[in-house]
Amino acid sequence: MDWTAFMSEIESEINTYAKEVPATMKGFAAMGAAAKTNGALSEKTKEIMALGIAIATRCDSCIGFHTKSLVRLGTTRDEFCEALAMATYMGGGPSMAYSAKALKAFDTFSAT
Protein backbone atom coordinates (compact mmCIF):
# COMPACT_ATOMS: atom_id res chain seq x y z
CA MET A 1 0.00 0.00 0.00
CA ASP A 2 1.27 3.46 -0.88
CA TRP A 3 0.35 5.26 2.34
CA THR A 4 1.20 8.70 1.03
CA ALA A 5 -1.04 8.35 -2.04
CA PHE A 6 -3.79 6.64 -0.03
CA MET A 7 -3.92 9.40 2.59
CA SER A 8 -3.83 12.11 -0.06
CA GLU A 9 -6.82 10.51 -1.77
CA ILE A 10 -8.84 9.99 1.43
CA GLU A 11 -8.12 13.55 2.59
CA SER A 12 -9.40 14.84 -0.75
CA GLU A 13 -12.53 12.69 -0.48
CA ILE A 14 -13.16 13.88 3.08
CA ASN A 15 -12.76 17.52 1.97
CA THR A 16 -15.36 16.94 -0.77
CA TYR A 17 -17.72 15.33 1.75
CA ALA A 18 -17.12 18.15 4.25
CA LYS A 19 -18.41 20.69 1.74
CA GLU A 20 -21.71 18.78 1.65
CA VAL A 21 -22.14 18.47 5.41
CA PRO A 22 -20.24 21.39 6.97
CA ALA A 23 -22.15 21.41 10.26
CA THR A 24 -21.50 17.70 10.77
CA MET A 25 -17.80 18.14 10.03
CA LYS A 26 -17.56 21.16 12.32
CA GLY A 27 -19.12 19.11 15.13
CA PHE A 28 -16.84 16.14 14.43
CA ALA A 29 -13.77 18.40 14.45
CA ALA A 30 -14.85 19.98 17.75
CA MET A 31 -15.40 16.55 19.30
CA GLY A 32 -11.96 15.42 18.11
CA ALA A 33 -10.25 18.51 19.47
CA ALA A 34 -11.95 18.06 22.85
CA ALA A 35 -11.13 14.35 23.01
CA LYS A 36 -7.44 14.90 22.17
CA THR A 37 -6.82 17.72 24.65
CA ASN A 38 -4.13 16.92 27.20
CA GLY A 39 -5.64 16.15 30.58
CA ALA A 40 -5.27 13.15 32.86
CA LEU A 41 -4.09 11.38 29.69
CA SER A 42 -1.72 12.96 27.21
CA GLU A 43 -2.68 13.48 23.58
CA LYS A 44 -0.05 10.87 22.69
CA THR A 45 -1.66 8.27 24.97
CA LYS A 46 -5.05 9.04 23.49
CA GLU A 47 -3.69 8.67 19.94
CA ILE A 48 -2.17 5.29 20.87
CA MET A 49 -5.63 4.25 22.10
CA ALA A 50 -7.17 5.48 18.86
CA LEU A 51 -4.61 3.51 16.85
CA GLY A 52 -5.56 0.33 18.71
CA ILE A 53 -9.22 0.95 17.94
CA ALA A 54 -8.40 1.67 14.30
CA ILE A 55 -6.56 -1.64 14.06
CA ALA A 56 -9.37 -3.53 15.80
CA THR A 57 -11.99 -2.03 13.47
CA ARG A 58 -9.75 -2.56 10.42
CA CYS A 59 -10.00 1.05 9.28
CA ASP A 60 -7.12 1.89 6.93
CA SER A 61 -7.82 5.61 6.86
CA CYS A 62 -8.09 5.73 10.67
CA ILE A 63 -4.75 3.91 10.93
CA GLY A 64 -3.28 6.52 8.59
CA PHE A 65 -4.65 9.53 10.45
CA HIS A 66 -3.68 8.29 13.92
CA THR A 67 -0.26 7.11 12.77
CA LYS A 68 0.42 10.53 11.26
CA SER A 69 -0.58 12.10 14.58
CA LEU A 70 1.69 9.76 16.51
CA VAL A 71 4.63 10.62 14.26
CA ARG A 72 3.85 14.33 14.78
CA LEU A 73 3.81 13.74 18.55
CA GLY A 74 7.29 12.19 18.48
CA THR A 75 6.35 8.57 19.06
CA THR A 76 9.36 6.32 18.72
CA ARG A 77 9.30 3.17 16.61
CA ASP A 78 9.73 1.13 19.81
CA GLU A 79 6.70 2.81 21.43
CA PHE A 80 4.70 2.30 18.27
CA CYS A 81 5.64 -1.39 18.06
CA GLU A 82 4.68 -1.96 21.70
CA ALA A 83 1.27 -0.43 20.99
CA LEU A 84 0.95 -2.71 17.96
CA ALA A 85 1.87 -5.72 20.08
CA MET A 86 -1.00 -4.91 22.44
CA ALA A 87 -3.40 -4.44 19.54
CA THR A 88 -2.31 -7.80 18.12
CA TYR A 89 -2.74 -9.48 21.50
CA MET A 90 -6.26 -8.12 21.89
CA GLY A 91 -7.37 -8.69 18.29
CA GLY A 92 -5.59 -11.84 17.16
CA GLY A 93 -4.74 -12.63 13.56
CA PRO A 94 -6.73 -9.87 11.85
CA SER A 95 -5.17 -7.27 14.15
CA MET A 96 -1.74 -8.73 13.41
CA ALA A 97 -2.24 -8.06 9.71
CA TYR A 98 -3.47 -4.51 10.33
CA SER A 99 -0.65 -3.90 12.81
CA ALA A 100 1.81 -4.81 10.06
CA LYS A 101 0.06 -2.30 7.79
CA ALA A 102 0.26 0.32 10.55
CA LEU A 103 4.00 -0.26 10.96
CA LYS A 104 4.47 0.33 7.23
CA ALA A 105 2.48 3.57 7.61
CA PHE A 106 4.66 4.60 10.56
CA ASP A 107 7.84 3.98 8.60
CA THR A 108 6.44 5.88 5.61
CA PHE A 109 5.31 8.93 7.59
CA SER A 110 8.46 8.97 9.74
CA ALA A 111 10.61 9.22 6.62
CA THR A 112 8.90 12.36 5.32
Side-chain angles (χ1 to χ4, degrees):
M1 171 181 247
D2 180 341
W3 279 99
T4 303
F6 173 75
M7 291 306 294
S8 179
E9 182 179 346
I10 196 68
E11 288 167 358
S12 175
E13 292 169 356
I14 288 171
N15 286 336
T16 299
Y17 176 58
K19 291 174 186 168
E20 299 298 325
V21 292
T24 298
M25 294 307 284
K26 183 177 178 182
F28 187 78
M31 184 173 57
K36 293 183 216 177
T37 299
N38 285 313
L41 297 175
S42 68
E43 180 184 3
K44 184 175 175 179
T45 299
K46 293 173 182 184
E47 287 290 350
I48 289 170
M49 293 170 63
L51 176 66
I53 294 166
I55 289 167
T57 59
R58 302 177 187 101
C59 177
D60 287 336
S61 57
C62 300
I63 289 169
F65 284 118
H66 296 294
T67 298
K68 285 176 86 171
S69 291
L70 286 164
V71 168
R72 174 182 54 80
L73 292 167
T75 304
T76 67
R77 195 170 197 273
D78 286 343
E79 290 172 321
F80 196 82
C81 286
E82 284 191 25
L84 296 179
M86 192 63 181
T88 298
Y89 164 66
M90 293 301 295
S95 290
M96 183 185 312
Y98 278 82
S99 289
K101 290 177 86 167
L103 183 57
K104 174 68 175 175
F106 181 85
D107 289 342
T108 298
F109 300 138
S110 293
T112 57

